[in-house]
Amino acid sequence: MNLKKMLRVVLIVAVSALYAFPVLWVVLTAFKERIDIFTQPPKLFFTPTLDNFASIFSDSASDGSAFSSDFGRYFLNSALLSFGSVFTAIVFGTMGAYAASRFPFKNRDFAMFSILSTRMLPAVAVVIPVYLLYRTLNLMNTYLGMTLLYTAFNLPFVIWMMRSFFDEIPREIEEAAMMDGSSRFRAFYRVALPQVKSGIAGAAVISLLFTWNEFLFASMLTGEETRTVPIALAQTLQGERGVDWGKLAAIETLYILPVLIAAALLQKYLLRGLTFGTVKG
């Protein structure tokens, strides 16, 4: 290994460690006793404990927090809203992107830019209109309302991203399938769709990150029944002794697991999906 490659490896390791350290510190804090959390200088070596994780699922909270017994429900709400809206956005967004790629129409580029521009709009700019709309339609504090809202936010990004992948696939492949007797939908499902798996994976993971961490609209439109983990943390974690950092770290550790698992399962598709257009083969 020459000096240039060695320096490159060192730089990559250093940057990776810099970004990974906060996450690692949260995980370590989740396994610390309260006294170890506040020890100065901070302890890197300590006797791990599962008390912080156990306290999350306990029926009562010794620190006055109302979060503990409801964590399972808040976590399930986050999972249902996030994965449900991402799945819906991927299904309809992929079909919309295919239609935009394969069926030319007047002012198509302007229409695609208009679709993407809705995702560029700051969320705070539409909070009041969305709130008034949801109150009128009785969609406040409902799973349907939040799923539709998150789907609407993710749909423009999915359409924009997936259209680029469909544009890369030669039309002749689908035309050959249709000449052999396949319908347009069957050619889409059997021929085109398997070739854009990397794009679907990339769009799904990015959409999941947007939805999983969403706070603004969830704080305005959810109630006790549909409250998600980020909102519950902000509203109920403060106890009589102040912030319980051990419990907070344990909740965050559990909360990042689904995203990490989803990314790991889709890893073989992600590199192509997230770097599409940056490298020419």
Side-chain angles (χ1 to χ4, degrees):
M1 182 181 296
N2 57 39
L3 181 60
K4 185 177 181 179
K5 290 185 178 180
M6 185 178 299
L7 291 176
R8 184 181 302 172
V9 171
V10 171
L11 179 61
I12 292 173
V13 171
V15 173
S16 300
L18 181 65
Y19 279 96
F21 180 76
V23 178
L24 177 61
W25 191 256
V26 168
V27 175
L28 291 176
T29 302
F31 290 93
K32 287 183 178 181
E33 297 279 0
R34 186 176 179 87
I35 189 173
D36 292 329
I37 294 174
F38 295 99
T39 299
Q40 293 295 334
K43 284 186 176 181
L44 292 177
F45 301 98
F46 55 90
T47 302
T49 178
L50 295 177
D51 290 345
N52 293 320
F53 293 93
S55 66
I56 298 174
F57 300 98
S58 62
D59 294 331
S60 61
S62 60
D63 61 353
S65 168
F67 191 93
S68 299
S69 59
D70 293 325
F71 173 77
R73 178 158 56 88
Y74 298 147
F75 189 90
L76 181 60
N77 288 342
S78 292
L80 288 175
L81 295 177
S82 297
F83 286 96
S85 61
V86 169
F87 176 79
T88 306
I90 291 295
V91 171
F92 289 99
T94 301
M95 291 190 291
Y98 179 80
S101 174
R102 292 298 187 260
F103 302 105
F105 54 88
K106 187 177 180 180
N107 297 324
R108 181 174 61 176
D109 292 338
F110 177 77
M112 293 300 298
F113 175 78
S114 299
I115 291 174
L116 182 60
S117 65
T118 61
R119 193 62 184 87
M120 300 176 184
L121 191 68
V124 69
V126 295
V127 166
I128 295 178
V130 170
Y131 177 82
L132 295 176
L133 176 65
Y134 270 50
R135 188 176 65 177
T136 303
L137 298 177
N138 295 320
L139 290 175
M140 301 282 290
N141 191 26
T142 63
Y143 293 105
L144 175 62
M146 295 305 299
T147 301
L148 291 175
L149 182 66
Y150 289 153
T151 300
F153 284 154
N154 287 324
L155 201 55
F157 170 76
V158 174
I159 293 175
W160 173 78
M161 184 172 181
M162 292 307 302
R163 183 202 166 184
S164 299
F165 281 86
F166 284 121
D167 285 344
E168 197 179 52
I169 301 174
R171 299 170 183 263
E172 291 77 9
I173 301 178
E174 299 157 52
E175 292 173 355
M178 288 188 287
M179 289 182 64
D180 289 337
S182 294
S183 63
R184 168 65 72 172
F185 181 80
R186 186 176 179 84
F188 160 73
Y189 181 74
R190 294 291 188 182
V191 179
L193 201 60
Q195 299 185 62
V196 295
K197 289 181 180 179
S198 57
I200 293 175
V205 170
I206 295 176
S207 298
L208 179 62
L209 290 175
F210 287 152
T211 309
W212 193 251
N213 298 318
E214 201 282 320
F215 182 87
L216 180 61
F217 287 98
S219 65
M220 298 281 292
L221 304 177
T222 61
E224 183 63 30
E225 293 80 10
T226 57
R227 185 176 297 164
T228 57
V229 173
I231 308 306
L233 281 173
Q235 295 180 353
T236 62
L237 194 62
Q238 185 77 19
E240 297 174 354
R241 297 184 298 171
V243 177
D244 190 334
W245 295 107
K247 183 186 296 182
L248 176 61
I251 293 170
E252 291 176 346
T253 300
L254 293 177
Y255 194 60
I256 64 176
L257 283 179
V259 177
L260 292 178
I261 293 174
L265 293 176
L266 299 174
Q267 183 178 8
K268 62 179 181 179
Y269 305 111
L270 280 179
L271 182 60
R272 170 65 177 135
L274 298 180
T275 61
F276 175 77
T278 60
V279 179
K280 297 295 183 181

